[in-house]
Amino acid sequence: LVIAALKFKDLERYRAYQAAFPAVFGQFNGRLLAADEDVRTVDGEAVDKLVVMQFPSDEEADAFRYSPEYLEIAKDRDAGADVTCWVAKAFA
């Protein structure tokens, strides 16, 4: 799983990233499990958005994350939001 927590800082730039994301993500073997901008915080610091993606392997997740296509659109993501991202193993 790839899990990302975002705090928006430039919503226009983030929306540009968001518009380009499906075409890039669709080139890879991932599944988007959640992309929620109405996250209910029960403990800890609030975030503006939580994203959860699933890939068949770490290698496939890295192929997406480090692809030239993703790195190009990620410029708008990074300008539009502060992002904390984790990779975790899902239960089989």
Side-chain angles (χ1 to χ4, degrees):
L1 300 174
V2 177
I3 303 137
L6 296 87
K7 287 206 162 215
F8 297 135
K9 56 186 180 182
D10 181 339
L11 206 46
E12 186 175 330
R13 290 288 300 271
Y14 184 78
R15 295 294 184 225
Y17 161 79
Q18 192 175 37
F21 180 87
V24 174
F25 188 73
Q27 298 174 41
F28 297 88
N29 294 318
R31 289 182 49 214
L32 186 60
L33 302 179
D36 191 353
E37 291 186 19
D38 190 25
V39 179
R40 184 171 61 97
T41 302
V42 294
D43 278 316
E45 189 174 326
V47 297
D48 294 321
K49 184 171 187 172
L50 186 69
V51 178
V52 181
M53 296 171 280
Q54 184 178 39
F55 291 89
S57 67
D58 286 352
E59 292 77 21
E60 299 231 27
D62 287 347
F64 164 69
R65 174 67 180 94
Y66 298 111
S67 70
E69 299 87 353
Y70 185 75
L71 292 173
E72 183 59 33
I73 69 169
K75 293 173 187 174
D76 283 326
R77 182 200 71 170
D78 294 340
D82 290 324
V83 180
T84 302
C85 190
W86 304 269
V87 175
K89 300 267 188 254
F91 289 117

Coordinates of all heavy atoms in Angstrom, one line a residue:
L1 N 0.8 -1.2 0.0 CA 0.0 0.0 0.0 C 0.9 1.2 0.0 O 1.9 1.3 0.6 CB -0.9 0.0 1.2 CG -1.8 -1.1 1.4 CD1 -2.5 -1.0 2.8 CD2 -2.9 -1.2 0.3
V2 N 0.4 2.3 -0.7 CA 1.0 3.6 -0.6 C 0.0 4.5 0.0 O -1.1 4.6 -0.5 CB 1.5 4.1 -2.0 CG1 2.0 5.5 -1.9 CG2 2.5 3.2 -2.6
I3 N 0.4 5.1 1.1 CA -0.6 6.0 1.9 C 0.0 7.4 1.9 O 1.2 7.5 2.3 CB -0.7 5.4 3.3 CG1 -1.2 4.0 3.2 CG2 -1.7 6.3 4.1 CD1 -0.6 3.1 4.2
A4 N -0.8 8.4 1.6 CA -0.3 9.7 1.6 C -1.3 10.6 2.3 O -2.5 10.5 2.2 CB -0.1 10.3 0.1
A5 N -0.7 11.5 3.2 CA -1.5 12.5 3.9 C -1.1 13.8 3.4 O 0.1 14.1 3.3 CB -1.2 12.4 5.4
L6 N -2.0 14.7 3.0 CA -1.8 16.0 2.4 C -2.3 17.1 3.2 O -3.4 17.0 3.8 CB -2.3 16.0 1.0 CG -1.8 15.0 0.0 CD1 -2.5 13.7 0.1 CD2 -1.9 15.6 -1.4
K7 N -1.6 18.2 3.2 CA -2.1 19.5 3.7 C -1.9 20.5 2.5 O -0.8 20.7 2.1 CB -1.3 20.0 4.9 CG -1.6 19.2 6.1 CD -1.3 20.0 7.4 CE -2.0 19.4 8.5 NZ -2.5 20.4 9.4
F8 N -3.1 21.0 2.1 CA -3.0 21.9 0.9 C -2.4 23.2 1.3 O -2.5 23.8 2.3 CB -4.4 22.2 0.4 CG -5.2 20.9 0.0 CD1 -6.5 20.7 0.3 CD2 -4.5 20.0 -0.9 CE1 -7.1 19.6 -0.1 CE2 -5.2 18.9 -1.3 CZ -6.5 18.7 -0.9
K9 N -1.6 23.8 0.3 CA -1.0 25.1 0.4 C -1.3 25.9 -0.9 O -1.3 27.2 -0.8 CB 0.5 25.0 0.7 CG 1.3 24.2 -0.3 CD 2.7 24.1 0.2 CE 3.5 23.3 -0.8 NZ 4.9 23.1 -0.4
D10 N -1.6 25.3 -2.0 CA -2.0 26.0 -3.2 C -2.9 25.1 -4.0 O -2.5 24.3 -4.7 CB -0.7 26.3 -4.1 CG -1.0 27.1 -5.3 OD1 -2.2 27.1 -5.8 OD2 -0.1 27.7 -5.9
L11 N -4.2 25.3 -3.7 CA -5.3 24.4 -4.2 C -5.3 24.4 -5.7 O -5.6 23.4 -6.3 CB -6.6 24.8 -3.6 CG -7.7 23.7 -3.5 CD1 -7.1 22.4 -2.9 CD2 -8.9 24.1 -2.7
E12 N -5.1 25.5 -6.4 CA -5.1 25.6 -7.8 C -4.0 24.6 -8.4 O -4.3 23.9 -9.3 CB -4.9 27.0 -8.3 CG -5.0 27.1 -9.8 CD -4.9 28.6 -10.3 OE1 -5.3 29.5 -9.5 OE2 -4.4 28.8 -11.4
R13 N -2.8 24.7 -7.9 CA -1.7 23.8 -8.3 C -2.1 22.3 -8.0 O -1.9 21.4 -8.8 CB -0.4 24.1 -7.7 CG 0.2 25.4 -8.2 CD 0.8 25.4 -9.6 NE 1.8 24.5 -9.8 CZ 3.1 24.6 -9.7 NH1 3.6 25.8 -9.2 NH2 4.0 23.7 -10.0
Y14 N -2.6 22.1 -6.9 CA -3.0 20.7 -6.5 C -4.1 20.2 -7.5 O -4.0 19.0 -7.9 CB -3.5 20.6 -5.1 CG -3.7 19.1 -4.8 CD1 -2.7 18.2 -4.5 CD2 -5.0 18.6 -4.8 CE1 -2.9 16.9 -4.3 CE2 -5.2 17.2 -4.6 CZ -4.2 16.4 -4.4 OH -4.4 15.0 -4.2
R15 N -5.1 21.0 -7.8 CA -6.1 20.6 -8.7 C -5.6 20.3 -10.1 O -6.1 19.4 -10.8 CB -7.2 21.6 -8.8 CG -8.0 21.8 -7.5 CD -8.8 20.6 -7.1 NE -9.6 20.9 -5.9 CZ -9.6 20.1 -4.8 NH1 -9.0 18.9 -4.8 NH2 -10.3 20.4 -3.8
A16 N -4.5 21.0 -10.5 CA -3.9 20.7 -11.8 C -3.3 19.3 -11.8 O -3.4 18.5 -12.7 CB -2.8 21.7 -12.1
Y17 N -2.6 19.0 -10.7 CA -2.1 17.6 -10.4 C -3.2 16.6 -10.4 O -3.1 15.5 -11.1 CB -1.3 17.6 -9.1 CG -1.1 16.2 -8.6 CD1 -0.1 15.4 -9.1 CD2 -1.9 15.7 -7.6 CE1 0.1 14.1 -8.6 CE2 -1.7 14.4 -7.1 CZ -0.7 13.6 -7.6 OH -0.5 12.3 -7.1
Q18 N -4.2 16.9 -9.7 CA -5.4 16.0 -9.6 C -6.0 15.7 -11.0 O -6.4 14.5 -11.2 CB -6.4 16.6 -8.6 CG -7.5 15.7 -8.2 CD -8.4 16.4 -7.1 OE1 -8.6 17.6 -7.3 NE2 -8.8 15.7 -6.2
A19 N -6.1 16.7 -11.8 CA -6.7 16.5 -13.1 C -5.8 15.6 -14.0 O -6.3 14.8 -14.8 CB -6.9 17.8 -13.8
A20 N -4.5 15.7 -13.9 CA -3.5 14.9 -14.7 C -3.3 13.5 -14.1 O -2.9 12.6 -14.8 CB -2.2 15.6 -14.8
F21 N -3.6 13.2 -12.8 CA -3.3 12.0 -12.2 C -4.0 10.8 -12.8 O -3.3 9.8 -13.0 CB -3.8 12.1 -10.7 CG -3.5 10.9 -9.9 CD1 -2.3 10.6 -9.3 CD2 -4.5 9.9 -9.8 CE1 -2.0 9.5 -8.6 CE2 -4.2 8.7 -9.0 CZ -3.0 8.5 -8.4
P22 N -5.3 10.7 -13.1 CA -5.8 9.5 -13.7 C -5.1 8.9 -14.9 O -5.0 7.7 -15.0 CB -7.3 9.9 -14.0 CG -7.6 11.0 -13.1 CD -6.3 11.8 -13.0
A23 N -4.8 9.8 -15.8 CA -4.1 9.3 -17.1 C -2.8 8.7 -16.8 O -2.4 7.7 -17.4 CB -4.0 10.5 -18.0
V24 N -2.0 9.3 -15.8 CA -0.7 8.7 -15.4 C -0.9 7.4 -14.6 O -0.3 6.4 -14.9 CB 0.1 9.7 -14.7 CG1 1.4 9.1 -14.2 CG2 0.4 10.9 -15.6
F25 N -1.7 7.5 -13.6 CA -2.0 6.3 -12.7 C -2.5 5.1 -13.5 O -2.1 4.0 -13.3 CB -2.9 6.7 -11.6 CG -3.1 5.6 -10.6 CD1 -2.1 5.4 -9.7 CD2 -4.3 4.9 -10.5 CE1 -2.2 4.4 -8.7 CE2 -4.4 3.9 -9.5 CZ -3.4 3.7 -8.6
G26 N -3.3 5.4 -14.5 CA -3.9 4.3 -15.3 C -2.9 3.5 -16.2 O -3.2 2.4 -16.7
Q27 N -1.7 4.0 -16.3 CA -0.6 3.3 -17.0 C 0.1 2.2 -16.2 O 0.9 1.5 -16.7 CB 0.5 4.3 -17.5 CG -0.1 5.4 -18.4 CD 1.0 6.4 -18.7 OE1 2.2 6.1 -18.9 NE2 0.6 7.7 -18.8
F28 N -0.3 2.2 -14.9 CA 0.4 1.3 -14.0 C -0.6 0.3 -13.4 O -1.8 0.4 -13.6 CB 1.1 2.1 -12.9 CG 2.2 2.9 -13.5 CD1 1.9 4.2 -14.0 CD2 3.5 2.4 -13.7 CE1 2.9 5.0 -14.6 CE2 4.5 3.2 -14.3 CZ 4.2 4.5 -14.7
N29 N -0.1 -0.7 -12.7 CA -1.0 -1.8 -12.2 C -1.5 -1.5 -10.7 O -1.5 -2.4 -9.9 CB -0.2 -3.1 -12.2 CG 0.1 -3.6 -13.6 OD1 -0.8 -3.5 -14.4 ND2 1.3 -4.0 -13.8
G30 N -1.8 -0.3 -10.5 CA -2.3 0.1 -9.2 C -3.8 0.2 -9.1 O -4.5 0.3 -10.1
R31 N -4.3 0.2 -7.8 CA -5.7 0.5 -7.6 C -5.8 1.6 -6.6 O -5.1 1.6 -5.6 CB -6.3 -0.8 -6.9 CG -6.5 -1.9 -7.9 CD -7.2 -3.1 -7.2 NE -8.4 -2.7 -6.5 CZ -8.9 -3.2 -5.4 NH1 -8.2 -4.2 -4.8 NH2 -10.0 -2.8 -4.8
L32 N -6.6 2.6 -6.8 CA -6.9 3.7 -5.9 C -8.0 3.2 -5.0 O -9.1 3.0 -5.4 CB -7.3 4.9 -6.7 CG -7.5 6.2 -5.9 CD1 -6.2 6.6 -5.2 CD2 -8.0 7.3 -6.8
L33 N -7.6 3.0 -3.7 CA -8.6 2.5 -2.7 C -9.3 3.7 -2.0 O -10.4 3.5 -1.5 CB -7.8 1.7 -1.7 CG -7.1 0.4 -2.2 CD1 -6.4 -0.3 -1.1 CD2 -8.0 -0.5 -3.0
A34 N -8.6 4.8 -1.8 CA -9.3 5.9 -1.2 C -8.6 7.2 -1.6 O -7.4 7.2 -1.9 CB -9.1 5.8 0.4
A35 N -9.4 8.3 -1.7 CA -8.8 9.6 -2.0 C -9.9 10.6 -1.4 O -10.8 11.0 -2.0 CB -8.7 9.9 -3.5
D36 N -9.7 10.8 -0.1 CA -10.8 11.5 0.7 C -10.3 12.8 1.2 O -9.3 13.0 1.9 CB -11.1 10.6 1.9 CG -12.3 11.0 2.7 OD1 -12.9 12.1 2.4 OD2 -12.7 10.3 3.6
E37 N -11.1 13.9 0.8 CA -10.8 15.2 1.3 C -11.7 15.6 2.4 O -11.8 16.8 2.8 CB -11.0 16.2 0.1 CG -9.9 16.1 -0.9 CD -9.9 17.1 -2.0 OE1 -10.6 18.2 -1.8 OE2 -9.3 16.9 -3.1
D38 N -12.4 14.6 3.0 CA -13.3 14.9 4.1 C -12.9 13.8 5.2 O -13.7 13.1 5.7 CB -14.7 14.7 3.7 CG -15.7 15.2 4.8 OD1 -15.3 16.0 5.7 OD2 -16.8 14.7 4.8
V39 N -11.6 13.8 5.5 CA -11.1 12.9 6.5 C -11.5 13.3 7.9 O -11.3 14.5 8.3 CB -9.5 12.8 6.4 CG1 -9.0 11.9 7.4 CG2 -9.1 12.4 5.0
R40 N -12.0 12.4 8.7 CA -12.4 12.6 10.1 C -11.2 12.3 11.0 O -10.9 11.1 11.1 CB -13.6 11.8 10.4 CG -14.2 12.1 11.8 CD -15.5 11.5 12.0 NE -15.5 10.0 11.9 CZ -15.3 9.2 13.0 NH1 -15.3 9.7 14.2 NH2 -15.3 7.9 12.8
T41 N -10.6 13.2 11.6 CA -9.5 13.0 12.5 C -10.0 12.6 13.8 O -10.8 13.3 14.4 CB -8.6 14.3 12.6 OG1 -8.2 14.6 11.3 CG2 -7.4 14.0 13.5
V42 N -9.5 11.4 14.3 CA -9.9 11.0 15.7 C -8.8 11.1 16.7 O -9.0 11.1 17.9 CB -10.5 9.5 15.6 CG1 -11.8 9.5 14.9 CG2 -9.5 8.6 15.0
D43 N -7.5 11.0 16.2 CA -6.3 11.2 17.0 C -5.3 11.9 16.1 O -5.2 11.6 14.9 CB -5.8 9.9 17.5 CG -6.5 9.3 18.7 OD1 -6.7 10.1 19.6 OD2 -6.8 8.1 18.7
G44 N -4.5 12.7 16.7 CA -3.4 13.3 16.0 C -3.7 14.5 15.2 O -4.8 15.1 15.4
E45 N -2.8 14.9 14.3 CA -3.0 16.1 13.5 C -3.9 15.9 12.3 O -3.8 14.9 11.6 CB -1.6 16.5 13.0 CG -1.5 17.9 12.4 CD -0.1 18.3 12.1 OE1 0.8 17.9 12.8 OE2 0.1 18.9 11.0
A46 N -4.8 16.9 12.1 CA -5.7 16.8 11.0 C -5.0 16.9 9.6 O -3.9 17.6 9.6 CB -6.8 17.9 11.1
V47 N -5.5 16.3 8.6 CA -5.0 16.5 7.2 C -6.1 16.9 6.3 O -7.3 16.8 6.7 CB -4.3 15.2 6.7 CG1 -3.1 14.8 7.6 CG2 -5.3 14.0 6.6
D48 N -5.8 17.5 5.2 CA -6.8 17.9 4.2 C -7.2 16.8 3.3 O -8.3 16.8 2.8 CB -6.2 19.1 3.4 CG -6.0 20.3 4.2 OD1 -6.8 20.6 5.1 OD2 -5.0 21.0 3.9
K49 N -6.3 15.8 3.1 CA -6.7 14.7 2.2 C -5.8 13.5 2.6 O -4.7 13.6 3.0 CB -6.4 15.1 0.7 CG -6.8 14.0 -0.3 CD -6.7 14.5 -1.7 CE -7.3 13.5 -2.7 NZ -7.3 14.1 -4.0
L50 N -6.5 12.3 2.4 CA -5.8 11.0 2.6 C -6.0 10.2 1.4 O -7.1 10.1 0.9 CB -6.3 10.3 3.8 CG -5.6 9.0 4.2 CD1 -4.2 9.4 4.8 CD2 -6.4 8.3 5.3
V51 N -4.9 9.6 0.9 CA -4.9 8.8 -0.3 C -4.3 7.4 0.0 O -3.3 7.4 0.7 CB -4.1 9.5 -1.5 CG1 -4.1 8.6 -2.7 CG2 -4.7 10.9 -1.8
V52 N -5.0 6.4 -0.5 CA -4.5 5.0 -0.3 C -4.5 4.3 -1.6 O -5.6 4.3 -2.3 CB -5.3 4.2 0.7 CG1 -4.7 2.8 0.9 CG2 -5.4 4.9 2.1
M53 N -3.3 3.9 -2.1 CA -3.2 3.1 -3.3 C -2.7 1.8 -3.1 O -1.9 1.6 -2.1 CB -2.3 3.9 -4.3 CG -2.8 5.2 -4.7 SD -1.5 6.2 -5.6 CE -0.5 6.8 -4.3
Q54 N -3.0 0.8 -3.9 CA -2.5 -0.6 -3.7 C -1.8 -1.0 -5.0 O -2.4 -0.7 -6.1 CB -3.7 -1.5 -3.4 CG -3.2 -2.9 -3.1 CD -4.4 -3.8 -2.8 OE1 -5.5 -3.7 -3.4 NE2 -4.2 -4.7 -1.8
F55 N -0.7 -1.6 -4.9 CA 0.1 -2.1 -6.0 C 0.4 -3.6 -5.7 O 0.6 -3.9 -4.5 CB 1.4 -1.3 -6.2 CG 1.2 0.1 -6.7 CD1 1.0 1.1 -5.8 CD2 1.1 0.4 -8.0 CE1 0.8 2.4 -6.2 CE2 0.9 1.7 -8.5 CZ 0.7 2.7 -7.5
P56 N 0.6 -4.4 -6.8 CA 1.0 -5.8 -6.5 C 2.3 -6.0 -5.9 O 2.5 -7.0 -5.3 CB 1.0 -6.4 -8.0 CG 0.3 -5.4 -8.8 CD 0.4 -4.0 -8.2
S57 N 3.2 -5.0 -6.0 CA 4.5 -5.2 -5.4 C 5.2 -3.8 -5.1 O 4.7 -2.8 -5.7 CB 5.4 -6.0 -6.3 OG 5.7 -5.3 -7.5
D58 N 6.2 -3.8 -4.3 CA 7.0 -2.6 -4.1 C 7.6 -2.1 -5.4 O 7.6 -0.9 -5.7 CB 8.1 -2.8 -3.1 CG 7.6 -2.8 -1.6 OD1 6.4 -2.6 -1.4 OD2 8.4 -3.2 -0.8
E59 N 8.0 -3.0 -6.2 CA 8.6 -2.7 -7.5 C 7.6 -1.9 -8.4 O 7.9 -1.0 -9.1 CB 9.2 -3.9 -8.2 CG 10.3 -4.5 -7.5 CD 10.0 -5.4 -6.3 OE1 8.8 -5.8 -6.2 OE2 10.9 -5.6 -5.4
E60 N 6.4 -2.4 -8.4 CA 5.3 -1.7 -9.2 C 5.0 -0.4 -8.7 O 4.8 0.6 -9.4 CB 4.1 -2.6 -9.3 CG 4.4 -3.9 -10.0 CD 3.5 -4.3 -11.1 OE1 3.0 -3.4 -11.8 OE2 3.4 -5.5 -11.3
A61 N 5.0 -0.2 -7.4 CA 4.7 1.1 -6.7 C 5.8 2.0 -7.1 O 5.6 3.2 -7.5 CB 4.6 0.9 -5.2
D62 N 7.1 1.6 -7.1 CA 8.2 2.4 -7.4 C 8.2 2.8 -8.9 O 8.6 3.9 -9.3 CB 9.5 1.7 -7.1 CG 9.8 1.7 -5.6 OD1 9.1 2.4 -4.8 OD2 10.7 0.9 -5.2
A63 N 7.8 1.8 -9.8 CA 7.7 2.1 -11.2 C 6.8 3.3 -11.4 O 7.0 4.2 -12.3 CB 7.2 0.9 -12.0
F64 N 5.6 3.3 -10.7 CA 4.7 4.5 -10.8 C 5.4 5.7 -10.3 O 5.5 6.7 -10.9 CB 3.4 4.1 -10.1 CG 2.6 5.3 -9.8 CD1 1.9 6.0 -10.8 CD2 2.4 5.8 -8.5 CE1 1.2 7.1 -10.6 CE2 1.6 6.9 -8.3 CZ 1.0 7.6 -9.3
R65 N 5.8 5.6 -9.0 CA 6.3 6.8 -8.3 C 7.5 7.5 -9.0 O 7.6 8.7 -8.9 CB 6.7 6.4 -6.9 CG 7.3 7.5 -6.0 CD 6.4 8.6 -5.7 NE 7.0 9.7 -5.0 CZ 7.6 10.8 -5.5 NH1 7.7 10.9 -6.8 NH2 8.1 11.7 -4.7
Y66 N 8.3 6.7 -9.6 CA 9.6 7.3 -10.2 C 9.5 7.4 -11.7 O 10.5 7.6 -12.4 CB 10.8 6.5 -9.7 CG 10.9 6.5 -8.2 CD1 10.7 5.4 -7.4 CD2 11.3 7.8 -7.6 CE1 10.8 5.5 -6.0 CE2 11.4 7.8 -6.2 CZ 11.2 6.7 -5.5 OH 11.3 6.8 -4.1
S67 N 8.3 7.1 -12.3 CA 8.2 7.3 -13.7 C 8.3 8.7 -14.2 O 7.9 9.6 -13.4 CB 6.8 6.7 -14.2 OG 5.8 7.6 -13.8
P68 N 8.9 9.0 -15.3 CA 9.0 10.3 -15.8 C 7.6 11.1 -15.9 O 7.5 12.3 -15.6 CB 9.6 10.2 -17.2 CG 10.2 8.9 -17.2 CD 9.5 8.0 -16.2
E69 N 6.6 10.3 -16.2 CA 5.2 10.9 -16.3 C 4.8 11.4 -15.0 O 4.2 12.5 -14.8 CB 4.2 9.9 -16.9 CG 4.6 9.5 -18.3 CD 5.5 8.3 -18.4 OE1 6.0 7.8 -17.3 OE2 5.7 7.8 -19.5
Y70 N 5.0 10.5 -13.9 CA 4.5 10.9 -12.6 C 5.4 12.1 -12.0 O 4.9 13.0 -11.5 CB 4.5 9.8 -11.6 CG 3.9 10.2 -10.3 CD1 2.6 10.4 -10.2 CD2 4.7 10.5 -9.2 CE1 2.0 10.9 -9.0 CE2 4.2 11.0 -8.0 CZ 2.9 11.2 -7.9 OH 2.3 11.7 -6.8
L71 N 6.7 12.0 -12.2 CA 7.6 13.0 -11.7 C 7.2 14.4 -12.3 O 7.3 15.4 -11.6 CB 9.0 12.7 -12.0 CG 9.5 11.5 -11.2 CD1 11.0 11.1 -11.7 CD2 9.5 11.8 -9.7
E72 N 6.7 14.4 -13.6 CA 6.3 15.7 -14.2 C 5.1 16.3 -13.5 O 5.1 17.4 -13.2 CB 6.1 15.5 -15.7 CG 5.7 16.7 -16.4 CD 6.8 17.8 -16.4 OE1 8.0 17.5 -16.3 OE2 6.4 19.0 -16.3
I73 N 4.0 15.4 -13.3 CA 2.8 16.0 -12.7 C 3.0 16.2 -11.2 O 2.3 17.1 -10.6 CB 1.6 15.1 -13.0 CG1 1.6 13.8 -12.2 CG2 1.4 15.0 -14.4 CD1 0.3 13.0 -12.2
A74 N 4.0 15.5 -10.6 CA 4.2 15.7 -9.1 C 4.7 17.1 -8.8 O 4.7 17.5 -7.6 CB 5.2 14.6 -8.6
K75 N 5.2 17.8 -9.8 CA 5.6 19.2 -9.6 C 4.5 20.0 -9.1 O 4.6 20.8 -8.1 CB 6.2 19.8 -10.8 CG 7.5 19.1 -11.2 CD 8.0 19.7 -12.6 CE 9.2 18.9 -13.1 NZ 9.6 19.3 -14.5
D76 N 3.3 19.8 -9.6 CA 2.1 20.5 -9.2 C 1.6 20.0 -7.8 O 1.2 20.8 -7.0 CB 1.0 20.4 -10.2 CG 1.2 21.3 -11.4 OD1 1.7 22.4 -11.2 OD2 0.8 20.9 -12.5
R77 N 1.8 18.7 -7.6 CA 1.4 18.1 -6.3 C 2.2 18.8 -5.2 O 1.7 19.2 -4.2 CB 1.6 16.6 -6.3 CG 1.2 16.0 -4.9 CD 1.7 14.7 -4.7 NE 3.2 14.8 -4.5 CZ 4.0 13.8 -4.0 NH1 3.5 12.6 -3.8 NH2 5.2 14.0 -3.8
D78 N 3.5 18.8 -5.4 CA 4.5 19.3 -4.4 C 4.3 20.8 -4.2 O 4.4 21.3 -3.1 CB 5.9 19.0 -4.8 CG 6.2 17.5 -4.7 OD1 5.4 16.8 -4.1 OD2 7.1 17.1 -5.4
A79 N 3.9 21.6 -5.3 CA 3.7 23.0 -5.1 C 2.3 23.2 -4.4 O 2.1 24.2 -3.8 CB 3.7 23.7 -6.5
G80 N 1.4 22.3 -4.6 CA 0.0 22.4 -4.1 C -0.2 21.9 -2.7 O -1.2 22.3 -2.1
A81 N 0.7 21.0 -2.2 CA 0.4 20.4 -0.9 C 1.7 19.9 -0.3 O 2.6 19.6 -1.0 CB -0.5 19.2 -1.1
D82 N 1.7 20.0 1.1 CA 2.8 19.3 1.8 C 2.3 17.9 2.0 O 1.1 17.6 2.4 CB 2.9 20.0 3.2 CG 3.6 21.3 3.1 OD1 4.4 21.6 2.2 OD2 3.2 22.2 3.9
V83 N 3.2 16.9 1.6 CA 2.8 15.5 1.5 C 3.7 14.7 2.4 O 4.9 14.8 2.4 CB 2.9 15.0 0.1 CG1 2.5 13.5 0.0 CG2 2.0 15.9 -0.8
T84 N 3.1 13.8 3.2 CA 3.8 12.8 3.9 C 3.3 11.5 3.3 O 2.1 11.3 3.2 CB 3.5 12.8 5.4 OG1 3.9 14.1 5.9 CG2 4.3 11.7 6.2
C85 N 4.2 10.6 3.0 CA 3.9 9.4 2.3 C 4.6 8.2 2.9 O 5.7 8.3 3.3 CB 4.3 9.5 0.8 SG 3.6 8.3 -0.3
W86 N 3.8 7.1 3.0 CA 4.4 5.8 3.5 C 4.1 4.7 2.5 O 3.1 4.7 1.8 CB 3.7 5.4 4.8 CG 3.7 6.5 5.9 CD1 4.7 6.6 6.9 CD2 2.8 7.5 6.1 NE1 4.4 7.7 7.6 CE2 3.2 8.3 7.2 CE3 1.6 7.9 5.5 CZ2 2.5 9.4 7.7 CZ3 0.9 9.0 6.0 CH2 1.4 9.7 7.1
V87 N 4.9 3.7 2.6 CA 4.7 2.4 1.9 C 4.6 1.3 3.0 O 5.4 1.2 3.9 CB 5.8 2.0 0.9 CG1 5.6 0.7 0.3 CG2 5.9 3.1 -0.2
A88 N 3.5 0.6 3.0 CA 3.2 -0.5 4.0 C 2.7 -1.7 3.3 O 2.1 -1.7 2.3 CB 2.2 0.0 5.0
K89 N 3.0 -2.9 3.9 CA 2.5 -4.1 3.4 C 1.1 -4.3 3.9 O 0.7 -4.1 5.0 CB 3.4 -5.3 4.0 CG 4.8 -5.2 3.6 CD 5.1 -5.9 2.4 CE 6.6 -6.0 2.1 NZ 7.0 -5.2 1.0
A90 N 0.2 -4.8 2.9 CA -1.2 -5.1 3.2 C -1.2 -6.5 3.7 O -0.3 -7.3 3.4 CB -2.0 -4.9 2.0
F91 N -2.2 -6.8 4.5 CA -2.5 -8.2 4.9 C -2.8 -9.0 3.7 O -3.5 -8.6 2.8 CB -3.6 -8.3 5.9 CG -3.2 -7.8 7.2 CD1 -3.9 -6.7 7.8 CD2 -2.2 -8.4 8.0 CE1 -3.6 -6.2 9.0 CE2 -1.9 -7.9 9.2 CZ -2.6 -6.8 9.8
A92 N -2.4 -10.3 3.6 CA -2.7 -11.1 2.4 C -4.1 -11.6 2.6 O -4.7 -11.7 3.6 CB -1.7 -12.3 2.4

